[in-house]
Amino acid sequence: GCYPLCPDRLVFPEYLPEAHRYKTEDQLAKKLRYFIKYPAKMRQMNDWRTAMDTSKFTWEAFSDTLKASNVLG
């Protein structure tokens, strides 16, 4: 598996908990050092594996939005 770690400027914060984001390179380095030092703890973390409602990203939902704004006619 993988453990997501993303810069704040490139992520939707509502989809990724703060523990998985960083603002500066120093914060990134600190998190990486922690991961290296405590790999077993990292494997036990499940906080990012939350169910996400992606229905609003389907074509059906998006096309309804476009039709309502007369983009699709």
Side-chain angles (χ1 to χ4, degrees):
C2 69
Y3 186 90
L5 193 57
C6 304
D8 265 349
R9 62 185 172 81
L10 296 177
V11 70
F12 291 102
E14 59 271 18
Y15 297 136
L16 199 61
E18 188 174 344
H20 300 271
R21 302 187 323 253
Y22 63 90
K23 293 181 182 178
T24 66
E25 288 184 16
D26 288 339
Q27 285 179 337
L28 172 61
K30 183 178 179 180
K31 288 178 185 270
L32 291 174
R33 280 193 299 273
Y34 182 84
F35 295 169
I36 292 167
K37 191 172 183 179
Y38 304 105
K41 288 183 181 182
M42 300 316 301
R43 286 188 208 99
Q44 295 170 356
M45 294 180 75
N46 289 335
D47 63 334
W48 66 275
R49 296 179 191 169
T50 58
M52 200 169 36
D53 178 17
T54 59
S55 62
K56 62 184 172 187
F57 303 115
T58 64
W59 172 247
E60 291 79 15
F62 189 64
S63 65
D64 289 345
T65 302
L66 292 176
K67 286 176 188 173
S69 64
N70 292 322
V71 172
L72 293 181

